[in-house]
Amino acid sequence: MTVSHHARVGVDIGGTFTDLVLLRADGETAFAKVSSTPEAPERAVLEGVGALLSAGGVAPAAIDEVVHGTTVGSNTLLQRKGAETGLVTTKGFRDVLEIGRLRTPDMFDLGWDKPEPLIRRRHRREVTERIGADGTVITPLDEAELLREVTALRAEGVRSLAVCFLNSYLAPTHERRAGVLLAEHFPDLAVSLSIDVLAEAREYERTSTVAVNAYVRPVLADYLARLEAGLQDLGIRAPLRVANSNGGLSAVATARAKPVFFISSGRAAGVAGAGHLGRAAGRRNLIVFDMGGTTASASLVHEGELSRLQEYEFRAGISTPSRFIKAGGFLMRVPTVDVAEVGSGAGSIAHLDAGGLLKVGPVSAGAAPGPACYGIGGTEPTVTDANLLLGYLPTRLAGGELALDVEAAAGALARAVAGPLCMETRAAAAGVRRIVNDNMGRVIRAVTVERGVDPRDFSLLAFGGSGPVHACDLADDIGITEVIFPPMPGVFTAAGMLAGDVERYFIHALPGPLAELDAERLRGPIADLRAEAEAALAEEGAGTASLEFQLDLRFMGQDSQLPVSLPDVPGADIAALMRERFLDAYRRTYRYASADAVEMVNLRLVARAERATRLDFAAIRGAAGEGGARTTRSVHLADGAAPSEVPVIARAALTGEVRGPAILESADCTIVIPPGWRAAPDEFANIVARADGGPS
């Protein structure tokens, strides 16, 4: 029987499980994990929401908001299953997507193949028009030619169209006119204008960003429509918001129109949640590590601030949005949390390559057919199978809903790995665990050592369904001496969304020398962006917002810029002040700064509106469904060593310090405390593990 508590729901779809967290207005939380349904992701969401409302004692009509992180956009790119997409561009610029930046991600890889553009060349059409570099019209738009080209594209099955004209960020008249004409003549065509998606200079970056937007848009829009309809059928009339790549929330209408801002939806929400938790717990330097069923990712929280970028590239394999590694994937110039990711998750398949070497990932068994031990059709050995065979996992997952088959796990590992390598099956399982740890260590080094940061100065915050199973071993490998396991680590990304704010981003091109900037020149653009932001947030029903204005600055003649915050009220010394702020930001990023002149590129606005009911990590009271008696389990803790009887303790029952080896279990997650480590709860419901010899 439900009661009248008002609540919000956070949902994160993973490759294997869909995680849900319910936050009631009185601060109580509840969570659920259900198997993902990749063929129709909304099915798992709706099943989980229904179960969660019943468990949390909340009526559907009492839900105030559903916030959602989705992998639909990233999976669409990874699997190349987007809509048939066309591009209309200025005559002479048909091949911008293929020319790109004329760079390779690895100068020593002679076998590297550039990714095929998302839009086929025959679907990239040129039309007569030209806007000059000063924003004046050189050649008017040939409207008849535009309609002929798009008619031909429609005849070839194009369902979505990107429009990107040269210099439209300075004078959008031609793109705006094209949008009007296309809406009149092709009302069923999804049209993405570059001026709506990315109104700034850089022809390749703008073209690539709007191409990704158009490619993903019909797929994500169809999914969100099905999800909204399903929520309505459950009796939920609350607004649906979607987590964006920068860790904020946006209205579902924004996600439908501009899906390029939501490609890294879920993983960014987890990092944002980690930032909120770190600030609440007084831990300002964190390496955020998330291991799910398909991927593992890492990011930094430094001095309480998330590491963010203005662009990144989506690619297969290890994805590092580093500003130093480019040209390996599909570039998107959108605000994003700086996350490195690798295809090594709990469902990653172990296999032998052509040379007989053991590899793990990037292919994942996902939710279907799943790991062999799930017994739902999977036959290939995965990381989950290896961990189960070694004793790290219980024989039931997801709060007891999913029974695991140890014999099936052993059989899969024997057939695919142990047999061909003539080794004992548990030794093969240990090898799988070792290799996946090495893979995941790469993403931690990608956001620390490769950025000039010493990971030993940070605590490792580990979450995800499998992150806590591997975190202490990873910390040992890297030299980190403290690992933090947050409340509800197995569903932490969904919880992180409930701590987030509504965010919208706005941009105005503002080229010119910084030395010539004065408060008067800023007044008009600031007023325009402010009005645009207030109207957009009012339309979303997001309430009062805080506004942060930034200038994109760079040294004269450079190609890359950094966003630098403007003061609330620009004064007479604004040029000198912004130069000092830019030099400070440049030194923090690159460890030095030049004495060269500085130039402006864009004026940006980030508008944030806090939620009325927001997850407060400083006051979290825990999750339902935890508890249980202390038992033991036979675990193979070291390669080749005899198994040890390891204490298994319900996380909720741990009130003091426990020394490893030990396993802490809850309905959402298993935490492994290896030998040489000790762990205890803190006042914020975290479990804090420390290496012997580390700080106490």
Side-chain angles (χ1 to χ4, degrees):
M1 178 176 165
T2 57
V3 291
S4 59
H5 292 293
H6 282 264
R8 298 170 67 220
V9 175
V11 183
D12 176 50
I13 297 179
T16 305
F17 287 105
T18 293
D19 303 332
L20 305 99
V21 175
L22 181 141
L23 174 65
R24 293 195 332 200
D26 61 2
E28 290 286 354
T29 60
F31 65 82
K33 289 180 80 76
V34 298
S35 293
S36 294
T37 49
E39 70 286 355
E42 72 280 0
R43 274 188 13 225
V45 176
L46 298 172
E47 175 190 341
V49 168
L52 195 60
L53 296 185
S54 177
V58 176
I63 295 297
D64 294 326
E65 187 176 64
V66 178
V67 296
H68 179 32
T70 174
T71 56
V72 170
S74 57
N75 287 343
T76 299
L77 289 178
L78 187 64
Q79 300 169 20
R80 301 294 293 257
K81 291 186 176 180
E84 195 68 62
T85 305
L87 170 68
V88 172
T89 189
T90 305
K91 194 172 291 293
F93 289 83
R94 181 183 188 184
D95 294 318
V96 162
L97 286 177
E98 284 177 301
I99 296 170
R101 283 173 159 160
L102 294 176
R103 296 176 64 182
T104 65
D106 184 350
M107 64 184 295
F108 300 107
D109 184 1
L110 301 181
W112 176 72
D113 291 323
K114 179 182 284 191
E116 289 289 327
L118 294 173
I119 303 177
R120 309 178 200 204
R121 191 171 192 271
R122 68 173 180 269
H123 291 160
R124 304 197 297 265
R125 302 299 178 91
E126 301 174 340
V127 298
T128 301
E129 72 84 37
R130 192 61 176 260
I131 300 290
D134 59 355
T136 59
V137 176
I138 297 175
T139 304
L141 172 65
D142 189 328
E143 298 181 2
E145 184 181 23
L146 169 70
L147 295 176
R148 285 196 305 272
E149 294 291 356
V150 177
T151 298
L153 288 173
R154 289 292 288 144
E156 294 180 16
V158 166
R159 181 183 172 195
S160 186
L161 184 72
V163 179
C164 187
F165 292 151
L166 187 68
N167 293 325
S168 61
Y169 71 98
L170 288 173
T173 51
H174 287 176
E175 275 196 21
R176 292 286 181 221
R177 179 57 182 161
V180 170
L181 289 170
L182 295 174
E184 290 176 355
H185 291 81
F186 308 97
D188 59 339
L189 182 64
V191 177
S192 299
L193 303 179
S194 76
I195 193 66
D196 291 332
V197 177
L198 181 66
E200 64 174 287
R202 297 171 177 264
E203 195 62 22
Y204 165 64
E205 285 80 353
R206 194 153 49 89
T207 306
S208 179
T209 302
V210 74
V212 172
N213 195 82
Y215 185 77
V216 173
R217 184 175 175 182
V219 178
L220 187 60
D222 290 349
Y223 162 70
L224 291 173
R226 297 194 305 270
L227 178 57
E228 280 193 301
L231 292 172
Q232 292 275 336
D233 291 342
L234 289 177
I236 296 174
R237 304 290 183 263
L240 173 65
R241 298 193 189 278
V242 185
N244 61 40
S245 299
N246 204 40
L249 305 172
S250 298
V252 68
T254 304
R256 283 200 197 97
K258 301 179 182 180
V260 70
F261 288 86
F262 300 84
I263 300 299
S264 295
S265 173
R267 68 181 187 182
V271 180
H276 287 293
L277 173 61
R279 287 187 287 274
R283 297 178 182 275
R284 299 177 60 79
N285 292 318
L286 298 170
I287 298 169
V288 182
F289 171 64
D290 176 9
M291 181 186 180
T294 305
T295 61
S297 62
S299 186
L300 275 190
V301 177
H302 188 213
E303 293 300 325
E305 296 297 324
L306 275 61
S307 178
R308 288 186 164 108
L309 297 172
Q310 294 300 325
E311 68 176 39
Y312 73 107
E313 289 180 339
F314 183 91
R315 68 183 78 176
I318 184 168
S319 178
T320 58
S322 164
R323 56 188 63 85
F324 305 116
I325 303 173
K326 299 298 179 188
F330 307 120
L331 186 138
M332 291 163 278
R333 190 160 176 80
V334 297
T336 181
V337 174
D338 190 356
V339 180
E341 187 174 52
V342 68
S344 292
S348 294
I349 294 173
H351 62 282
L352 304 183
D353 69 8
L357 295 177
L358 178 59
K359 303 287 186 181
V360 181
V363 177
S364 172
C373 62
Y374 283 11
I376 56 174
T379 58
E380 300 295 327
T382 68
V383 175
T384 294
D385 294 304
N387 281 329
L388 177 65
L389 191 59
L390 294 171
Y392 290 103
L393 297 180
T395 54
R396 303 191 77 88
L397 293 181
E401 295 295 321
L402 180 62
L404 303 185
D405 187 339
V406 178
E407 293 303 318
L413 282 159
R415 286 191 304 272
V417 180
L421 294 179
C422 301
M423 63 192 306
E424 197 270 335
T425 304
R426 281 192 173 81
V432 170
R433 183 176 168 89
R434 176 74 265 170
I435 288 172
V436 79
N437 283 348
D438 288 344
N439 291 346
M440 294 186 298
R442 290 171 59 204
V443 298
I444 294 177
R445 293 182 178 91
V447 298
T448 55
V449 176
E450 293 179 14
R451 316 282 174 89
V453 174
D454 189 341
R456 296 171 296 183
D457 296 334
F458 289 71
S459 299
L460 184 68
L461 181 75
F463 56 89
S466 297
V469 179
H470 294 260
C472 288
D473 284 347
L474 285 172
D476 266 335
D477 290 345
I478 296 170
I480 298 169
T481 57
E482 183 177 79
V483 179
I484 301 169
F485 304 100
M488 302 178 287
V491 295
F492 185 79
T493 295
M497 296 174 197
L498 295 171
D501 303 322
V502 171
E503 288 187 357
R504 290 291 300 271
Y505 316 104
F506 307 89
I507 192 167
H508 177 86
L510 197 70
L514 177 61
E516 297 178 5
L517 179 67
D518 56 32
E520 183 60 32
R521 184 177 179 188
L522 287 172
R523 186 170 291 116
I526 284 177
D528 291 343
L529 291 183
R530 185 190 302 274
E532 187 179 355
E534 289 174 349
L537 290 173
E539 186 177 344
E540 290 194 11
T544 305
S546 63
L547 305 180
E548 180 188 358
F549 288 94
Q550 302 169 337
L551 273 182
D552 285 346
L553 300 175
R554 64 189 181 193
F555 286 116
M556 194 74 73
Q558 279 195 336
D559 182 60
S560 299
Q561 62 258 15
L562 292 175
V564 182
S565 293
L566 274 165
D568 292 338
V569 181
D573 62 344
I574 186 62
L577 175 63
M578 293 306 295
R579 178 180 174 84
E580 286 305 310
R581 289 188 176 185
F582 169 70
L583 294 178
D584 288 343
Y586 201 93
R587 290 188 191 99
R588 287 196 305 271
T589 304
Y590 299 107
R591 302 297 188 265
Y592 81 100
S594 168
D596 293 350
V598 176
E599 62 180 345
M600 303 177 295
V601 182
N602 302 301
L603 173 66
R604 294 182 183 273
L605 170 57
V606 180
R608 298 185 178 93
E610 289 190 8
R611 316 313 302 129
T613 304
R614 184 177 178 183
L615 183 61
D616 183 0
F617 286 106
I620 195 166
R621 292 193 232 166
E626 298 188 310
R630 180 186 291 243
T631 60
T632 63
R633 189 157 67 234
S634 180
V635 182
H636 294 259
L637 293 167
D639 296 356
S644 303
E645 286 300 312
V646 173
V648 179
I649 308 166
R651 173 175 176 154
L654 184 67
T655 57
E657 184 177 87
V658 63
R659 298 191 67 85
I663 293 176
L664 308 179
E665 289 187 346
S666 59
D668 65 311
C669 191
T670 297
I671 297 172
V672 175
I673 309 298
W677 287 75
R678 61 195 187 278
D682 69 6
E683 63 270 33
F684 300 98
N686 303 304
I687 299 293
V688 181
R690 295 184 175 93
D692 290 345
S696 53

